[in-house]
Amino acid sequence: MIDKISTLGGYIHEYQKSVENPQAFWSRIAESFFWRKKWDKILDWNFTEPKINWFLDGKLNITENIFERHLFTRGDQPAIIWEPNEPNDENRVLSYNELFLEVKKFANVMLKLGVGKGDRVAIYMPMVPELAIAMLACARIGAIHSIVFAGFSANSLADRINDAEAKLVITSDGAYRGSKIIPIKDIVDEALENCSSVEKVVMVQRTNTEVAFHDSRDMWWHEAMVNADEDNKAELMDAEDTLFILYTSGSTDKPKGIVHTCGGYMVYSAYTFKNVFQYSDGDVYFCSADIGWITGHSYIVYGPLLNGATTVMFEGIPTYPDAGRYWDIVNKYGIAQFYTAPTAIRSLISMGQKYVENKDLSSLKVLGTVGEPINEEAWHWYHDHVGKNRCPIVDTWWQTETGGISISPIAGIIPTKPGFATLPQPGIQPIIVDGDGNELSGKSVEGNLCIKYPWPGMLRTIWGDHERFKKTYFSTFENLYFSGDGVKRDEDGYYRILGRVDDVINVSGHRMGTAEVENAINEHPLVNESAVVGFPHDIKGQGIYAFVVCGDLSTGGEEGIKTSIRKGVTKIIGPIAKPDKIQLVRALPKTRSGKIMRRILRKIAQGDYSNFGDISTLLDTSVVEEIIKGALEGV
Ligand code: ATP
Ligand code: MG
């Protein structure tokens, strides 16, 4: 098993070793896994082609590292605890033995359908245990899973299926989301009208929704599983064989099919899970993400299960039946580590204190966030009301591309600071460069966040488009992986993510992260959330345009609120950050993963009400129409 870092000194020591001799460092970590054949060479790389290979010629199967490796000691221990949408419905607990059996059976079902090593399988499913079973069964037989979040439209699903040329689609009849039932299979049917690569569709029965059944193509999961063979030998995989493809959330551009491989991803997701969350035997861990995102891949399924942990999978939404649902789950299972996104925290704050106040959250030890910069107000609320001032918050910065957490506190070990992702994980060598690629060394600097050395969990390519891979990540700055994010290193050497570089605004020569200004706006008691973008300004170069969501406008009226927001920002950051324009809006345009699509707001702020590019990942397009209407009426 992986040894946990347990002191600050231990972290510093490990970090130094990981930088001085990365290959020896990762070789030691990788030793704790089960390899059918050990690697001949640890690493072969250059950032120019670019080519990144880890554990060359090593042979393994990631599922043997989840199951065979743990069964002697943990066969009866819960692997997955599944909490259904309805709190009073029966939950499901799958021990490692039980989960393993299901995985082997479904692996055999797929083999029988003619799906094998290297084939792509699209998974479009609600958060039910069969989703995890399907993905692990793919890994078992060496098929490449491409999981598409089941909130996407038929068009978006079709794009992803076609890009990966998937042979099989795994789905369900319907999905429960709070009080709604979503007809998942209908969406798949619509998508498949335009997908010629798909041969078969396997469907889990979840909602008993009526579905169109295409005899030659469709089959039920439960029927296929009845006579499935219970024995299955894992496919032998090369360390560099593709484990999965996952499309990015598309907040900045057309989604990219990020490719992760078997060996490196396994080592990195497992190592970071254990350390960052300080998972101990017996802990029950809960990540509220959807498995359709990288967070769910690495920190609901692979990272926890590779460590023999107990992981909770939640089918529903945070506000059903009421905004106390997460806290009820924490109490029900005695959750030790809870991991969520700032957008969820902000929405729970706006629902009021009463949902969290009287809950017993004494089992919690660690809180985590991911996905966007967390504003300080939300950080403090999370810390005070959920963590009751005793749980460290790990503000984890990483990307679909990095495969695992890259800059983050280690819970209880690296001291936290609100709004800061703090320090790099061992093996991650961040470097800050200016627009010309010159390194900005030392403390109190700010610029583009790059990484200068490979780590095992990093992406290897963009599916089917190595040129785009090179262009997106390795062409902006020579010999560096460019994250696309802006960052500041403060006087303590701590990293604070400023948001996308495109979102850094320059007002009269002062560079500001949008996150910083939003932070100040969100401090206003009536503000639920906000998004800030720059717009062309004759005198200042760029002006600040703030889109603000308020809870209650009765006190003070619109103008009163705008005035007090400006006052607040002036007080917190200074007059330079005072928004030139404030537009009060009902909601912000968000991706289905809950991220603000600032590029749309930037267009609107510039007075361009069309040309929004690919908006297929937008949750609700009517929000955009309303904002345009408001902008036209004058701000
Ligand atoms: P696309 O690349 O298609 O625009 P995306 O970047 O939103 O989509 P993800 O890979 O899910 O897709 O998100 C990674 C990004 O999320 C990071 O680059 C960063 O901007 C933001 N992010 C993630 N975690 C944090 C964090 N802890 N603090 C600040 N920002 C974060
Ligand atoms: Mg991105």
Side-chain angles (χ1 to χ4, degrees), residues 84-85 87 176-179 286 288-290 314-329 338-349 351-352 355-356 359 381:
N85 183 58
Y176 292 116
R177 272 185 84 71
S179 54
F286 174 28
S288 76
D290 192 284
F314 173 41
E315 182 182 36
I317 57 173
T319 49
Y320 182 81
D322 66 35
R325 187 67 191 275
Y326 282 164
W327 322 131
D328 292 336
I329 295 174
F338 175 64
Y339 192 26
T340 195
T343 178
I345 298 170
R346 286 195 300 263
S347 87
L348 294 179
I349 295 175
M351 311 285 291
Y355 297 103
V356 65
K359 304 285 157 122
W381 186 88

mmCIF file of all heavy atoms in Angstrom, residues 84-85 87 176-179 286 288-290 314-329 338-349 351-352 355-356 359 381:
data_model
loop_
_atom_site.group_PDB
_atom_site.id
_atom_site.type_symbol
_atom_site.label_atom_id
_atom_site.label_comp_id
_atom_site.label_asym_id
_atom_site.label_seq_id
_atom_site.Cartn_x
_atom_site.Cartn_y
_atom_site.Cartn_z
ATOM 1 N N PRO A 84 -29.508 6.323 -2.945
ATOM 2 C CA PRO A 84 -30.438 6.632 -4.036
ATOM 3 C C PRO A 84 -30.992 8.048 -3.956
ATOM 4 O O PRO A 84 -30.857 8.729 -2.936
ATOM 5 C CB PRO A 84 -31.552 5.612 -3.840
ATOM 6 C CG PRO A 84 -31.518 5.259 -2.398
ATOM 7 C CD PRO A 84 -30.100 5.429 -1.931
ATOM 8 N N ASN A 85 -31.629 8.450 -5.035
ATOM 9 C CA ASN A 85 -32.244 9.768 -5.119
ATOM 10 C C ASN A 85 -33.237 10.012 -3.982
ATOM 11 O O ASN A 85 -33.212 11.067 -3.342
ATOM 12 C CB ASN A 85 -32.943 9.859 -6.481
ATOM 13 C CG ASN A 85 -33.561 11.199 -6.750
ATOM 14 O OD1 ASN A 85 -32.874 12.210 -6.729
ATOM 15 N ND2 ASN A 85 -34.862 11.231 -6.994
ATOM 16 N N PRO A 87 -34.432 9.590 -0.338
ATOM 17 C CA PRO A 87 -33.728 9.228 0.906
ATOM 18 C C PRO A 87 -34.310 7.997 1.593
ATOM 19 O O PRO A 87 -33.584 7.297 2.297
ATOM 20 C CB PRO A 87 -33.867 10.475 1.773
ATOM 21 C CG PRO A 87 -34.845 11.360 1.097
ATOM 22 C CD PRO A 87 -34.954 10.944 -0.334
ATOM 23 N N TYR A 176 -33.362 9.405 -12.301
ATOM 24 C CA TYR A 176 -34.002 10.276 -11.316
ATOM 25 C C TYR A 176 -33.063 11.426 -11.004
ATOM 26 O O TYR A 176 -31.881 11.213 -10.728
ATOM 27 C CB TYR A 176 -34.247 9.507 -10.008
ATOM 28 C CG TYR A 176 -35.282 8.424 -10.116
ATOM 29 C CD1 TYR A 176 -34.932 7.083 -9.932
ATOM 30 C CD2 TYR A 176 -36.613 8.737 -10.384
ATOM 31 C CE1 TYR A 176 -35.884 6.080 -10.018
ATOM 32 C CE2 TYR A 176 -37.570 7.739 -10.476
ATOM 33 C CZ TYR A 176 -37.200 6.408 -10.288
ATOM 34 O OH TYR A 176 -38.139 5.420 -10.378
ATOM 35 N N ARG A 177 -33.589 12.613 -11.051
ATOM 36 C CA ARG A 177 -32.825 13.784 -10.603
ATOM 37 C C ARG A 177 -33.751 14.642 -9.769
ATOM 38 O O ARG A 177 -34.563 15.370 -10.305
ATOM 39 C CB ARG A 177 -32.302 14.593 -11.787
ATOM 40 C CG ARG A 177 -30.957 14.141 -12.285
ATOM 41 C CD ARG A 177 -30.429 15.060 -13.372
ATOM 42 N NE ARG A 177 -29.742 16.238 -12.823
ATOM 43 C CZ ARG A 177 -28.567 16.198 -12.222
ATOM 44 N NH1 ARG A 177 -27.934 15.064 -12.062
ATOM 45 N NH2 ARG A 177 -28.004 17.295 -11.757
ATOM 46 N N GLY A 178 -33.636 14.509 -8.436
ATOM 47 C CA GLY A 178 -34.564 15.215 -7.573
ATOM 48 C C GLY A 178 -35.966 14.733 -7.871
ATOM 49 O O GLY A 178 -36.224 13.534 -7.957
ATOM 50 N N SER A 179 -36.886 15.663 -8.103
ATOM 51 C CA SER A 179 -38.271 15.257 -8.341
ATOM 52 C C SER A 179 -38.533 14.922 -9.806
ATOM 53 O O SER A 179 -39.644 14.576 -10.179
ATOM 54 C CB SER A 179 -39.206 16.378 -7.878
ATOM 55 O OG SER A 179 -38.817 17.576 -8.507
ATOM 56 N N PHE A 286 -16.855 10.518 0.753
ATOM 57 C CA PHE A 286 -17.963 10.914 -0.130
ATOM 58 C C PHE A 286 -17.553 12.079 -1.024
ATOM 59 O O PHE A 286 -17.249 13.163 -0.534
ATOM 60 C CB PHE A 286 -19.177 11.292 0.735
ATOM 61 C CG PHE A 286 -20.363 11.871 -0.017
ATOM 62 C CD1 PHE A 286 -20.634 11.567 -1.335
ATOM 63 C CD2 PHE A 286 -21.249 12.728 0.655
ATOM 64 C CE1 PHE A 286 -21.741 12.102 -2.003
ATOM 65 C CE2 PHE A 286 -22.359 13.268 0.008
ATOM 66 C CZ PHE A 286 -22.593 12.951 -1.331
ATOM 67 N N SER A 288 -19.116 14.315 -4.051
ATOM 68 C CA SER A 288 -20.457 14.569 -4.589
ATOM 69 C C SER A 288 -20.471 14.833 -6.084
ATOM 70 O O SER A 288 -21.501 15.161 -6.652
ATOM 71 C CB SER A 288 -21.086 15.756 -3.854
ATOM 72 O OG SER A 288 -20.494 16.953 -4.329
ATOM 73 N N ALA A 289 -19.334 14.711 -6.742
ATOM 74 C CA ALA A 289 -19.286 14.955 -8.190
ATOM 75 C C ALA A 289 -20.075 13.891 -8.939
ATOM 76 O O ALA A 289 -20.499 12.894 -8.362
ATOM 77 C CB ALA A 289 -17.839 14.943 -8.664
ATOM 78 N N ASP A 290 -20.238 14.091 -10.229
ATOM 79 C CA ASP A 290 -20.813 13.048 -11.068
ATOM 80 C C ASP A 290 -19.647 12.290 -11.704
ATOM 81 O O ASP A 290 -18.617 12.886 -12.025
ATOM 82 C CB ASP A 290 -21.684 13.678 -12.161
ATOM 83 C CG ASP A 290 -22.529 12.627 -12.870
ATOM 84 O OD1 ASP A 290 -21.979 11.860 -13.709
ATOM 85 O OD2 ASP A 290 -23.739 12.558 -12.581
ATOM 86 N N PHE A 314 -23.640 8.993 -4.925
ATOM 87 C CA PHE A 314 -24.953 9.579 -4.662
ATOM 88 C C PHE A 314 -25.685 9.851 -5.973
ATOM 89 O O PHE A 314 -25.180 10.542 -6.843
ATOM 90 C CB PHE A 314 -24.770 10.865 -3.845
ATOM 91 C CG PHE A 314 -26.028 11.657 -3.639
ATOM 92 C CD1 PHE A 314 -27.237 11.032 -3.357
ATOM 93 C CD2 PHE A 314 -26.000 13.047 -3.714
ATOM 94 C CE1 PHE A 314 -28.400 11.781 -3.168
ATOM 95 C CE2 PHE A 314 -27.155 13.806 -3.520
ATOM 96 C CZ PHE A 314 -28.360 13.166 -3.250
ATOM 97 N N GLU A 315 -26.901 9.323 -6.056
ATOM 98 C CA GLU A 315 -27.663 9.429 -7.296
ATOM 99 C C GLU A 315 -28.313 10.805 -7.492
ATOM 100 O O GLU A 315 -28.534 11.250 -8.608
ATOM 101 C CB GLU A 315 -28.771 8.365 -7.299
ATOM 102 C CG GLU A 315 -29.605 8.337 -8.555
ATOM 103 C CD GLU A 315 -30.727 7.310 -8.494
ATOM 104 O OE1 GLU A 315 -31.308 7.121 -7.415
ATOM 105 O OE2 GLU A 315 -31.012 6.688 -9.522
ATOM 106 N N GLY A 316 -28.630 11.478 -6.397
ATOM 107 C CA GLY A 316 -29.504 12.650 -6.482
ATOM 108 C C GLY A 316 -28.792 13.984 -6.578
ATOM 109 O O GLY A 316 -27.670 14.077 -7.050
ATOM 110 N N ILE A 317 -29.488 15.011 -6.138
ATOM 111 C CA ILE A 317 -28.969 16.377 -6.213
ATOM 112 C C ILE A 317 -28.941 16.995 -4.800
ATOM 113 O O ILE A 317 -29.650 16.536 -3.910
ATOM 114 C CB ILE A 317 -29.831 17.246 -7.161
ATOM 115 C CG1 ILE A 317 -31.304 17.262 -6.706
ATOM 116 C CG2 ILE A 317 -29.735 16.737 -8.592
ATOM 117 C CD1 ILE A 317 -32.175 18.237 -7.483
ATOM 118 N N PRO A 318 -28.130 18.022 -4.594
ATOM 119 C CA PRO A 318 -27.935 18.541 -3.228
ATOM 120 C C PRO A 318 -29.172 19.196 -2.615
ATOM 121 O O PRO A 318 -29.224 19.384 -1.401
ATOM 122 C CB PRO A 318 -26.814 19.577 -3.387
ATOM 123 C CG PRO A 318 -26.676 19.838 -4.840
ATOM 124 C CD PRO A 318 -27.205 18.643 -5.558
ATOM 125 N N THR A 319 -30.149 19.536 -3.439
ATOM 126 C CA THR A 319 -31.304 20.274 -2.915
ATOM 127 C C THR A 319 -32.575 19.432 -2.871
ATOM 128 O O THR A 319 -33.679 19.965 -2.781
ATOM 129 C CB THR A 319 -31.558 21.515 -3.783
ATOM 130 O OG1 THR A 319 -31.563 21.103 -5.155
ATOM 131 C CG2 THR A 319 -30.482 22.563 -3.580
ATOM 132 N N TYR A 320 -32.433 18.127 -2.959
ATOM 133 C CA TYR A 320 -33.615 17.272 -2.922
ATOM 134 C C TYR A 320 -33.472 16.219 -1.838
ATOM 135 O O TYR A 320 -32.443 15.561 -1.788
ATOM 136 C CB TYR A 320 -33.827 16.578 -4.263
ATOM 137 C CG TYR A 320 -35.065 15.700 -4.301
ATOM 138 C CD1 TYR A 320 -36.324 16.254 -4.521
ATOM 139 C CD2 TYR A 320 -34.964 14.327 -4.070
ATOM 140 C CE1 TYR A 320 -37.456 15.446 -4.533
ATOM 141 C CE2 TYR A 320 -36.099 13.524 -4.083
ATOM 142 C CZ TYR A 320 -37.335 14.088 -4.312
ATOM 143 O OH TYR A 320 -38.451 13.305 -4.316
ATOM 144 N N PRO A 321 -34.473 15.985 -0.984
ATOM 145 C CA PRO A 321 -35.725 16.736 -0.892
ATOM 146 C C PRO A 321 -35.547 18.155 -0.364
ATOM 147 O O PRO A 321 -36.437 18.988 -0.554
ATOM 148 C CB PRO A 321 -36.581 15.924 0.085
ATOM 149 C CG PRO A 321 -35.679 14.926 0.709
ATOM 150 C CD PRO A 321 -34.404 14.867 -0.056
ATOM 151 N N ASP A 322 -34.429 18.440 0.298
ATOM 152 C CA ASP A 322 -34.179 19.839 0.655
ATOM 153 C C ASP A 322 -32.675 20.085 0.666
ATOM 154 O O ASP A 322 -31.888 19.172 0.407
ATOM 155 C CB ASP A 322 -34.834 20.210 1.997
ATOM 156 C CG ASP A 322 -34.212 19.476 3.175
ATOM 157 O OD1 ASP A 322 -32.985 19.237 3.172
ATOM 158 O OD2 ASP A 322 -34.957 19.135 4.111
ATOM 159 N N ALA A 323 -32.286 21.300 0.954
ATOM 160 C CA ALA A 323 -30.887 21.693 0.828
ATOM 161 C C ALA A 323 -30.000 21.134 1.945
ATOM 162 O O ALA A 323 -28.836 21.509 2.065
ATOM 163 C CB ALA A 323 -30.776 23.213 0.762
ATOM 164 N N GLY A 324 -30.563 20.229 2.727
ATOM 165 C CA GLY A 324 -29.754 19.587 3.769
ATOM 166 C C GLY A 324 -29.315 18.184 3.371
ATOM 167 O O GLY A 324 -28.761 17.441 4.178
ATOM 168 N N ARG A 325 -29.560 17.811 2.114
ATOM 169 C CA ARG A 325 -29.339 16.415 1.721
ATOM 170 C C ARG A 325 -27.896 15.939 1.934
ATOM 171 O O ARG A 325 -27.662 14.840 2.446
ATOM 172 C CB ARG A 325 -29.734 16.209 0.259
ATOM 173 C CG ARG A 325 -29.704 14.750 -0.184
ATOM 174 C CD ARG A 325 -30.774 13.951 0.533
ATOM 175 N NE ARG A 325 -30.636 12.508 0.349
ATOM 176 C CZ ARG A 325 -31.103 11.801 -0.682
ATOM 177 N NH1 ARG A 325 -31.743 12.425 -1.657
ATOM 178 N NH2 ARG A 325 -30.932 10.501 -0.740
ATOM 179 N N TYR A 326 -26.916 16.750 1.543
ATOM 180 C CA TYR A 326 -25.520 16.320 1.741
ATOM 181 C C TYR A 326 -25.259 16.033 3.217
ATOM 182 O O TYR A 326 -24.582 15.075 3.572
ATOM 183 C CB TYR A 326 -24.543 17.405 1.275
ATOM 184 C CG TYR A 326 -24.337 17.509 -0.223
ATOM 185 C CD1 TYR A 326 -23.750 18.654 -0.768
ATOM 186 C CD2 TYR A 326 -24.699 16.473 -1.083
ATOM 187 C CE1 TYR A 326 -23.536 18.762 -2.143
ATOM 188 C CE2 TYR A 326 -24.488 16.575 -2.450
ATOM 189 C CZ TYR A 326 -23.908 17.729 -2.977
ATOM 190 O OH TYR A 326 -23.691 17.846 -4.325
ATOM 191 N N TRP A 327 -25.805 16.901 4.050
ATOM 192 C CA TRP A 327 -25.489 16.768 5.489
ATOM 193 C C TRP A 327 -26.194 15.543 6.073
ATOM 194 O O TRP A 327 -25.680 14.895 6.981
ATOM 195 C CB TRP A 327 -25.837 18.067 6.235
ATOM 196 C CG TRP A 327 -25.493 19.281 5.396
ATOM 197 C CD1 TRP A 327 -26.289 20.349 5.129
ATOM 198 C CD2 TRP A 327 -24.264 19.520 4.667
ATOM 199 N NE1 TRP A 327 -25.652 21.224 4.285
ATOM 200 C CE2 TRP A 327 -24.420 20.743 3.988
ATOM 201 C CE3 TRP A 327 -23.064 18.826 4.520
ATOM 202 C CZ2 TRP A 327 -23.407 21.292 3.170
ATOM 203 C CZ3 TRP A 327 -22.058 19.355 3.698
ATOM 204 C CH2 TRP A 327 -22.238 20.573 3.053
ATOM 205 N N ASP A 328 -27.362 15.219 5.511
ATOM 206 C CA ASP A 328 -28.026 13.980 5.938
ATOM 207 C C ASP A 328 -27.194 12.753 5.542
ATOM 208 O O ASP A 328 -27.102 11.786 6.298
ATOM 209 C CB ASP A 328 -29.417 13.870 5.299
ATOM 210 C CG ASP A 328 -30.369 14.930 5.845
ATOM 211 O OD1 ASP A 328 -30.126 15.418 6.974
ATOM 212 O OD2 ASP A 328 -31.336 15.283 5.140
ATOM 213 N N ILE A 329 -26.601 12.828 4.363
ATOM 214 C CA ILE A 329 -25.770 11.700 3.907
ATOM 215 C C ILE A 329 -24.520 11.587 4.790
ATOM 216 O O ILE A 329 -24.121 10.488 5.186
ATOM 217 C CB ILE A 329 -25.377 11.869 2.419
ATOM 218 C CG1 ILE A 329 -26.639 11.802 1.541
ATOM 219 C CG2 ILE A 329 -24.365 10.817 1.994
ATOM 220 C CD1 ILE A 329 -26.403 12.110 0.068
ATOM 221 N N PHE A 338 -15.318 14.728 2.810
ATOM 222 C CA PHE A 338 -16.371 15.180 1.896
ATOM 223 C C PHE A 338 -15.765 16.128 0.867
ATOM 224 O O PHE A 338 -15.063 17.067 1.211
ATOM 225 C CB PHE A 338 -17.484 15.880 2.687
ATOM 226 C CG PHE A 338 -18.555 16.490 1.818
ATOM 227 C CD1 PHE A 338 -19.349 15.687 1.014
ATOM 228 C CD2 PHE A 338 -18.771 17.864 1.805
ATOM 229 C CE1 PHE A 338 -20.332 16.240 0.200
ATOM 230 C CE2 PHE A 338 -19.754 18.426 1.004
ATOM 231 C CZ PHE A 338 -20.540 17.609 0.195
ATOM 232 N N TYR A 339 -16.060 15.861 -0.415
ATOM 233 C CA TYR A 339 -15.403 16.578 -1.515
ATOM 234 C C TYR A 339 -16.479 17.104 -2.451
ATOM 235 O O TYR A 339 -17.291 16.333 -2.952
ATOM 236 C CB TYR A 339 -14.502 15.570 -2.234
ATOM 237 C CG TYR A 339 -13.497 16.105 -3.234
ATOM 238 C CD1 TYR A 339 -12.983 17.394 -3.159
ATOM 239 C CD2 TYR A 339 -13.002 15.276 -4.241
ATOM 240 C CE1 TYR A 339 -12.033 17.843 -4.067
ATOM 241 C CE2 TYR A 339 -12.043 15.714 -5.157
ATOM 242 C CZ TYR A 339 -11.572 16.987 -5.054
ATOM 243 O OH TYR A 339 -10.626 17.423 -5.953
ATOM 244 N N THR A 340 -16.526 18.418 -2.672
ATOM 245 C CA THR A 340 -17.570 18.987 -3.533
ATOM 246 C C THR A 340 -17.023 20.185 -4.313
ATOM 247 O O THR A 340 -15.815 20.417 -4.337
ATOM 248 C CB THR A 340 -18.822 19.338 -2.694
ATOM 249 O OG1 THR A 340 -19.930 19.559 -3.556
ATOM 250 C CG2 THR A 340 -18.600 20.575 -1.841
ATOM 251 N N ALA A 341 -17.906 20.936 -4.950
ATOM 252 C CA ALA A 341 -17.479 22.047 -5.801
ATOM 253 C C ALA A 341 -17.969 23.376 -5.233
ATOM 254 O O ALA A 341 -19.020 23.426 -4.591
ATOM 255 C CB ALA A 341 -18.046 21.857 -7.200
ATOM 256 N N PRO A 342 -17.226 24.467 -5.474
ATOM 257 C CA PRO A 342 -17.653 25.780 -4.974
ATOM 258 C C PRO A 342 -19.073 26.139 -5.417
ATOM 259 O O PRO A 342 -19.828 26.741 -4.654
ATOM 260 C CB PRO A 342 -16.645 26.746 -5.587
ATOM 261 C CG PRO A 342 -15.424 25.931 -5.806
ATOM 262 C CD PRO A 342 -15.909 24.550 -6.143
ATOM 263 N N THR A 343 -19.449 25.769 -6.627
ATOM 264 C CA THR A 343 -20.783 26.121 -7.108
ATOM 265 C C THR A 343 -21.864 25.482 -6.234
ATOM 266 O O THR A 343 -22.877 26.108 -5.925
ATOM 267 C CB THR A 343 -20.952 25.745 -8.610
ATOM 268 O OG1 THR A 343 -22.259 26.052 -9.019
ATOM 269 C CG2 THR A 343 -20.678 24.286 -8.888
ATOM 270 N N ALA A 344 -21.614 24.262 -5.769
ATOM 271 C CA ALA A 344 -22.574 23.615 -4.873
ATOM 272 C C ALA A 344 -22.604 24.332 -3.525
ATOM 273 O O ALA A 344 -23.680 24.581 -2.958
ATOM 274 C CB ALA A 344 -22.197 22.150 -4.673
ATOM 275 N N ILE A 345 -21.448 24.706 -3.035
ATOM 276 C CA ILE A 345 -21.395 25.401 -1.747
ATOM 277 C C ILE A 345 -22.141 26.731 -1.836
ATOM 278 O O ILE A 345 -22.974 27.051 -0.993
ATOM 279 C CB ILE A 345 -19.929 25.637 -1.303
ATOM 280 C CG1 ILE A 345 -19.213 24.290 -1.121
ATOM 281 C CG2 ILE A 345 -19.868 26.454 0.001
ATOM 282 C CD1 ILE A 345 -17.718 24.405 -0.918
ATOM 283 N N ARG A 346 -21.896 27.479 -2.916
ATOM 284 C CA ARG A 346 -22.559 28.773 -3.062
ATOM 285 C C ARG A 346 -24.072 28.613 -3.137
ATOM 286 O O ARG A 346 -24.821 29.391 -2.550
ATOM 287 C CB ARG A 346 -22.043 29.505 -4.306
ATOM 288 C CG ARG A 346 -20.639 30.063 -4.136
ATOM 289 C CD ARG A 346 -20.318 31.069 -5.232
ATOM 290 N NE ARG A 346 -20.387 30.463 -6.555
ATOM 291 C CZ ARG A 346 -19.336 30.004 -7.233
ATOM 292 N NH1 ARG A 346 -18.131 30.106 -6.711
ATOM 293 N NH2 ARG A 346 -19.485 29.478 -8.432
ATOM 294 N N SER A 347 -24.509 27.568 -3.839
ATOM 295 C CA SER A 347 -25.967 27.431 -3.941
ATOM 296 C C SER A 347 -26.549 27.026 -2.587
ATOM 297 O O SER A 347 -27.637 27.461 -2.225
ATOM 298 C CB SER A 347 -26.357 26.497 -5.076
ATOM 299 O OG SER A 347 -26.370 25.167 -4.641
ATOM 300 N N LEU A 348 -25.827 26.244 -1.820
ATOM 301 C CA LEU A 348 -26.345 25.877 -0.495
ATOM 302 C C LEU A 348 -26.346 27.080 0.454
ATOM 303 O O LEU A 348 -27.249 27.237 1.267
ATOM 304 C CB LEU A 348 -25.548 24.713 0.098
ATOM 305 C CG LEU A 348 -25.714 23.389 -0.676
ATOM 306 C CD1 LEU A 348 -24.873 22.285 -0.049
ATOM 307 C CD2 LEU A 348 -27.177 22.964 -0.751
ATOM 308 N N ILE A 349 -25.350 27.945 0.323
ATOM 309 C CA ILE A 349 -25.324 29.156 1.151
ATOM 310 C C ILE A 349 -26.577 29.985 0.871
ATOM 311 O O ILE A 349 -27.236 30.486 1.785
ATOM 312 C CB ILE A 349 -24.066 30.016 0.867
ATOM 313 C CG1 ILE A 349 -22.798 29.265 1.275
ATOM 314 C CG2 ILE A 349 -24.144 31.368 1.583
ATOM 315 C CD1 ILE A 349 -21.503 29.985 0.909
ATOM 316 N N MET A 351 -29.411 29.107 0.079
ATOM 317 C CA MET A 351 -30.650 28.520 0.595
ATOM 318 C C MET A 351 -30.838 28.796 2.088
ATOM 319 O O MET A 351 -31.907 28.539 2.633
ATOM 320 C CB MET A 351 -30.678 27.006 0.395
ATOM 321 C CG MET A 351 -30.323 26.505 -0.979
ATOM 322 S SD MET A 351 -31.581 26.717 -2.234
ATOM 323 C CE MET A 351 -32.789 25.563 -1.676
ATOM 324 N N GLY A 352 -29.803 29.238 2.725
ATOM 325 C CA GLY A 352 -29.934 29.600 4.139
ATOM 326 C C GLY A 352 -29.312 28.590 5.078
ATOM 327 O O GLY A 352 -29.183 27.406 4.767
ATOM 328 N N TYR A 355 -30.537 24.708 6.908
ATOM 329 C CA TYR A 355 -30.385 23.321 6.444
ATOM 330 C C TYR A 355 -29.133 22.632 6.983
ATOM 331 O O TYR A 355 -28.993 21.426 6.888
ATOM 332 C CB TYR A 355 -30.382 23.277 4.921
ATOM 333 C CG TYR A 355 -31.681 23.739 4.338
ATOM 334 C CD1 TYR A 355 -31.803 25.002 3.776
ATOM 335 C CD2 TYR A 355 -32.805 22.914 4.396
ATOM 336 C CE1 TYR A 355 -33.011 25.431 3.260
ATOM 337 C CE2 TYR A 355 -34.019 23.336 3.885
ATOM 338 C CZ TYR A 355 -34.115 24.601 3.318
ATOM 339 O OH TYR A 355 -35.307 25.017 2.819
ATOM 340 N N VAL A 356 -28.228 23.416 7.480
ATOM 341 C CA VAL A 356 -26.984 22.800 7.957
ATOM 342 C C VAL A 356 -26.874 22.881 9.480
ATOM 343 O O VAL A 356 -26.237 22.055 10.125
ATOM 344 C CB VAL A 356 -25.746 23.444 7.253
ATOM 345 C CG1 VAL A 356 -25.588 24.889 7.605
ATOM 346 C CG2 VAL A 356 -24.468 22.667 7.535
ATOM 347 N N LYS A 359 -27.558 19.745 11.907
ATOM 348 C CA LYS A 359 -27.145 18.414 11.476
ATOM 349 C C LYS A 359 -25.929 17.960 12.287
ATOM 350 O O LYS A 359 -25.082 18.767 12.654
ATOM 351 C CB LYS A 359 -26.778 18.426 9.987
ATOM 352 C CG LYS A 359 -27.884 18.939 9.096
ATOM 353 C CD LYS A 359 -28.993 17.923 8.916
ATOM 354 C CE LYS A 359 -30.288 18.595 8.535
ATOM 355 N NZ LYS A 359 -30.909 18.207 7.327
ATOM 356 N N TRP A 381 -17.706 29.928 5.006
ATOM 357 C CA TRP A 381 -18.987 29.285 5.331
ATOM 358 C C TRP A 381 -18.785 27.778 5.465
ATOM 359 O O TRP A 381 -19.240 27.146 6.405
ATOM 360 C CB TRP A 381 -20.007 29.599 4.243
ATOM 361 C CG TRP A 381 -21.385 29.098 4.555
ATOM 362 C CD1 TRP A 381 -22.358 29.767 5.248
ATOM 363 C CD2 TRP A 381 -21.946 27.824 4.186
ATOM 364 N NE1 TRP A 381 -23.492 28.985 5.329
ATOM 365 C CE2 TRP A 381 -23.266 27.790 4.690
ATOM 366 C CE3 TRP A 381 -21.467 26.720 3.484
ATOM 367 C CZ2 TRP A 381 -24.117 26.696 4.516
ATOM 368 C CZ3 TRP A 381 -22.300 25.625 3.306
ATOM 369 C CH2 TRP A 381 -23.620 25.616 3.825
#
